[in-house]
Amino acid sequence: MGGAVSAGEDNDELIDNLKEAQYIRTELVEQAFRAIDRADYYLEEFKDNAYKDLAWKHGNIHLSAPCIYSEVMEALDLQPGLSFLNLGSGTGYLSSMVGLILGPFGVNHGVELHSDVIEYAKQKLDFFIKTSDSFDKFEFCEPSFVTGNCLEISPDCTQYDRVYCGAGVQKEHEDYMKNLLKVGGILVMPLEEKLTKITRTGPSAWETKKILAVSFAPLIQPNHADSGKSRLVHLPPVAVRSLQDLARIAIRGTIKKIIHQETMSKNGNGLKNPPRFKRRRVRRRRMETIVFLDKEVFASRISNPSDDNNNSEDIEDERQEEEETKPSELKPDPPVNFLREKVLSLPLPDPLKYYLLYYREK
């Protein structure tokens, strides 16, 4: 499903459009979406479509439309330190955004049916950790992925604060999904063609809210034809942080506070905001076509005859706007990774510097 907002020219413009359409409503969710470039999770030959509000599927690899992910992220009401379970974790795009909010003391687990998709997700996660400056702007809860059918999770598994299922859930599996939640937890899943938010308010008490109509491919039922036995999925253990890890988190946190204080001092206690570069206005167009593929809706926008009367006017307005902004619209400098620069400037042995930087390549 998708096509709710106009396509963007880059990741930031896509997020601008999602905010304008009220799919992204909170600062935490906005920060997570801006921190991870959606195009990084596409195969190279399909990246031209990364900033369209459309789902993408290639073989077993699948990404839902940005408007769906933003509704999911908002509905989960994520907070630092929570535990999260992603059923049908796919490329790891959603799990990585969630990890930016959960922070170093959260739990971030994913279950994915296809082993080739697990490998793809691990490659994308490794690329993000090693190369993205966004990694140093957050304390990250790294996701862990296991292969298996999410309908065969071991009954002795721990319960989670937040659960998302990325495939259509049949009514008979609703209670199974609910039992994965702690009291006070939130479950978001496609149930009976509606993206549904379920909050566990007590041991046997629930609140249910329908968010929006969706069309997802259904969960794949377990197949026991080969052995006749269930293949239980054992989720990763909730590991205790080592003393080294805790020290690294504390040191990085202290350095970030120092950088923040220095920045506030330079900017007059943070009252001066850096100028934002004006973005080209995007003309809104009515959705004309909807295509069904693999039981998920792929929607596209095209102009209609009534738009044509205004096209020349819009183009002239855009040209005039661009002319007005040219003198002041200089190309911004590349962003500076202040945390990295500060760590490298410290009088510490190189191995300790690299450890504080997670051995990142950039």
Side-chain angles (χ1 to χ4, degrees):
M1 181 171 182
V5 301
S6 298
E9 292 184 353
D10 56 25
N11 196 65
D12 276 330
E13 192 166 292
L14 172 63
I15 307 314
D16 289 343
N17 294 340
L18 290 168
K19 278 190 67 182
E20 184 180 340
Q22 289 294 300
Y23 284 100
I24 293 177
R25 300 178 289 278
T26 59
E27 186 177 351
L28 276 178
V29 172
E30 179 186 351
Q31 289 175 347
F33 268 84
R34 291 196 190 279
I36 298 182
D37 196 320
R38 181 176 167 89
D40 289 342
Y41 288 79
Y42 275 67
L43 292 170
E44 193 65 37
E45 59 268 35
F46 299 103
K47 285 190 174 183
D48 288 346
N49 295 319
Y51 307 122
K52 297 176 181 178
D53 188 28
L54 297 173
W56 172 64
K57 193 175 190 305
H58 181 79
N60 292 326
I61 301 170
H62 176 262
L63 279 168
S64 290
C67 67
I68 300 297
Y69 281 137
S70 53
E71 284 288 3
V72 169
M73 290 279 285
E74 292 287 358
L76 286 170
D77 190 21
L78 297 161
Q79 302 295 330
L82 297 180
S83 57
F84 171 66
L85 177 62
N86 190 352
L87 304 175
S89 51
T91 65
Y93 172 63
L94 179 68
S95 291
S96 291
M97 287 196 293
V98 169
L100 296 174
I101 298 177
L102 297 182
F105 304 114
V107 175
N108 194 354
H109 294 163
V111 180
E112 169 57 43
L113 182 63
H114 303 288
S115 58
D116 60 326
V117 180
I118 289 275
E119 289 306 310
Y120 186 85
K122 288 179 178 178
Q123 290 171 16
K124 297 302 179 183
L125 175 63
D126 188 56
F127 178 81
F128 170 70
I129 291 174
K130 286 185 176 180
T131 68
S132 174
D133 280 337
S134 293
F135 180 83
D136 283 332
K137 295 175 184 176
F138 296 81
E139 292 298 343
F140 186 50
C141 182
E142 185 174 333
S144 298
F145 305 113
V146 296
T147 307
N149 190 308
C150 65
L151 293 175
E152 296 184 298
I153 293 174
S154 175
D156 61 355
C157 79
T158 184
Q159 292 177 315
Y160 291 79
D161 296 303
R162 301 291 186 267
V163 178
Y164 170 65
C165 182
V169 177
Q170 293 86 348
K171 190 66 178 175
E172 60 264 29
H173 297 307
E174 181 179 355
D175 289 341
Y176 170 89
M177 295 293 177
K178 288 179 176 179
N179 287 330
L180 297 171
L181 274 185
K182 294 179 181 179
V183 173
I186 295 173
L187 164 67
V188 178
M189 61 181 177
L191 180 67
E192 297 183 315
E193 302 297 304
K194 297 285 192 304
L195 189 65
T196 305
K197 175 181 178 178
I198 298 176
T199 304
R200 187 169 195 170
T201 57
S204 56
W206 315 86
E207 287 181 358
T208 301
K209 178 183 178 182
K210 304 294 184 182
I211 301 173
L212 77 165
V214 293
S215 180
F216 277 66
L219 282 171
I220 295 176
Q221 302 300 307
N223 183 3
H224 305 148
D226 295 337
S227 63
K229 296 180 180 179
S230 175
R231 300 173 183 175
L232 289 181
V233 176
H234 296 279
L235 297 172
V238 178
V240 177
R241 288 277 191 177
S242 69
L243 185 58
Q244 276 188 326
D245 272 351
L246 293 173
R248 174 164 58 183
I249 292 165
I251 293 169
R252 283 168 63 92
T254 300
I255 294 172
K256 286 179 180 180
K257 286 180 183 177
I258 292 171
I259 294 170
H260 178 66
Q261 290 168 357
E262 291 175 349
T263 303
M264 288 184 67
S265 177
K266 289 178 183 178
N267 292 341
N269 293 327
L271 296 178
K272 295 179 182 178
N273 294 320
R276 263 188 84 125
F277 289 90
K278 196 168 185 181
R279 293 192 174 276
R280 180 178 61 83
R281 185 177 61 191
V282 180
R283 291 195 300 274
R284 305 294 164 190
R285 294 176 177 174
R286 182 166 61 89
M287 187 167 69
E288 289 278 340
T289 62
I290 300 179
V291 180
F292 288 85
L293 181 61
D294 288 342
K295 299 185 180 180
E296 181 150 359
V297 179
F298 288 66
S300 62
R301 296 175 181 276
I302 59 173
S303 58
N304 56 53
S306 63
D307 292 329
D308 294 338
N309 296 330
N310 298 321
N311 277 351
S312 58
E313 211 174 290
D314 290 337
I315 292 169
E316 179 59 28
D317 287 345
E318 286 181 10
R319 187 194 63 75
Q320 186 175 350
E321 186 176 298
E322 287 171 3
E323 289 296 325
E324 289 172 355
T325 57
K326 270 182 184 178
S328 60
E329 198 170 286
L330 302 175
K331 188 176 181 180
D333 294 329
V336 178
N337 189 327
F338 292 105
L339 178 66
R340 181 178 180 83
E341 287 194 350
K342 182 69 78 174
V343 170
L344 291 176
S345 70
L346 294 174
L348 298 172
D350 284 346
L352 181 52
K353 292 180 183 179
Y354 300 145
Y355 179 73
L356 289 174
L357 294 170
Y358 287 86
Y359 305 99
R360 285 163 45 76
E361 294 175 355
K362 286 183 65 178

